[in-house]
Amino acid sequence: MTVATIENRYGSLASRVYHLDKPIGRSFGDIEFYRERLGNCREPVLEPAAGNGRLLIPLLESGLNMFGFDASPEMVAFCEEECTRRGFPTPVDIQTFEAFSYEHRFEAIILPAGSFQLIVDPAIALRVLDRFREALLPGGRLIIDLDLLACLADAPGRARHWHDGQDILTLQEGSVERNFMRQTMLSQLRYELWREGKLVSTEMELFHLRLWGLTEFELALRIAGFSSIAIFGDYGRVARPEEAGQTITFEARVGGELRK
């Protein structure tokens, strides 16, 4: 039996559970939203923290020129496998928020499902926003989903399980720390793989997030040089999020005309 512990790792069991729970094309309203917002893009679009390709692959299928990266080799492997299965090239690689690099720039950069919140240090988050701006074409857009600060008060802990052939995978979530001053939430996740009634392997991961306020993140975007900022609630279903549990989406633009 193997045991591993790391923060925001998305190791072998975590990525396998993610792929079972959030398969390619599963939408929370975000796939339709991003497909509509990106419908006029003719230049490449980048999805940092693309994971298993849940959203990237449907956008590829819509005809968009998608690129993506993720820090987890296991997640990238799932995405590559699913792209190959559908006859697509595999425009994903292993990179990080802080060090990603491409030879070309992008018409849009998207971060659905709160993945930007994996950057816990606000100083690093501001530097990453700078990197996003530099990676965009003039007139390009950054679109980011965030959870509301109210999530800090969510009740901790739950247990779940998934069947994968003869295997059973389980996840026990437990709250470790909520820091209201720093707006961070640290949760302990225990993944287990069971086969024929026996525990085969276990992974323990610490899942660390930083939440943002509406005005706070708008100011962060402006500090990073973005303008024309729009805020959507629940993927456009409400004009602006005002209630706990809603998803915030920021769309901001780099100044200048988009190059054709």
Side-chain angles (χ1 to χ4, degrees):
M1 182 175 70
T2 59
V3 180
T5 305
I6 198 166
E7 186 175 293
N8 293 346
R9 167 68 177 83
Y10 284 102
S12 59
L13 292 185
S15 59
R16 187 173 169 186
V17 163
Y18 187 99
H19 196 54
L20 290 168
D21 188 55
K22 299 177 180 66
I24 308 304
R26 181 177 179 186
S27 179
F28 305 96
D30 51 356
I31 291 178
E32 297 81 2
F33 175 82
Y34 278 93
R35 186 182 288 131
E36 189 275 329
R37 298 305 299 173
L38 301 172
N40 294 327
C41 287
R42 298 294 177 264
E43 303 293 336
V45 175
L46 175 66
E47 184 186 353
N52 67 336
R54 176 190 69 86
L55 188 139
L56 182 145
I57 290 174
L59 295 182
L60 273 175
E61 292 172 335
S62 297
L64 290 166
N65 185 11
M66 297 296 302
F67 288 78
F69 68 80
D70 202 283
S72 166
E74 292 86 352
M75 293 291 265
V76 169
F78 274 119
C79 189
E80 289 177 335
E81 179 183 352
E82 295 290 348
C83 284
T84 300
R85 183 177 299 169
R86 291 163 173 79
F88 288 116
T90 55
V92 291
D93 54 8
I94 301 169
Q95 299 197 65
T96 64
F97 284 124
E98 297 92 331
F100 75 90
S101 178
Y102 291 90
E103 295 181 353
H104 56 272
R105 290 195 283 174
F106 299 91
E107 185 170 349
I109 296 176
I110 63 171
L111 288 95
S115 55
F116 187 77
Q117 296 165 161
L118 294 168
I119 307 171
V120 178
D121 186 327
I124 294 176
L126 287 174
R127 292 200 294 270
V128 171
L129 288 176
D130 281 335
R131 293 185 64 83
F132 289 160
R133 175 182 48 77
E134 293 170 357
L136 284 165
L137 290 163
R141 289 175 294 158
L142 175 66
I143 311 177
I144 292 182
D145 293 350
L146 299 174
D147 298 316
L148 287 173
L149 277 171
C151 292
L152 279 172
D154 285 351
R158 59 174 176 165
R160 305 176 65 192
H161 72 276
W162 296 261
H163 291 271
D164 188 16
Q166 298 300 311
D167 294 342
I168 297 176
L169 291 100
T170 63
L171 168 60
Q172 177 66 53
E173 304 178 52
S175 178
V176 177
E177 176 187 338
R178 296 173 190 274
N179 190 316
F180 288 89
M181 292 295 292
R182 295 180 179 177
Q183 299 168 202
T184 60
M185 183 165 54
L186 179 66
S187 299
Q188 179 178 289
L189 307 179
R190 181 183 178 89
Y191 297 90
E192 295 180 342
L193 170 62
W194 295 80
R195 186 174 298 150
E196 297 180 350
K198 295 181 180 179
L199 181 60
V200 176
S201 62
T202 300
E203 287 179 358
M204 188 74 74
E205 297 199 8
L206 297 178
F207 191 57
H208 209 176
L209 297 175
R210 186 188 190 277
L211 303 177
W212 294 76
L214 278 172
T215 302
E216 177 190 27
F217 195 71
E218 184 173 356
L219 288 172
L221 288 170
R222 294 193 185 282
I223 289 170
F226 290 94
S227 60
S228 303
I229 298 170
I231 305 174
F232 303 90
D234 282 348
Y235 302 114
R237 290 191 289 271
V238 296
R240 187 180 176 97
E242 296 179 350
E243 298 179 4
Q246 293 180 330
T247 299
I248 312 166
T249 302
F250 283 84
E251 181 175 295
R253 193 175 291 272
V254 176
E257 295 297 324
L258 180 64
R259 298 188 307 187
K260 298 297 184 182

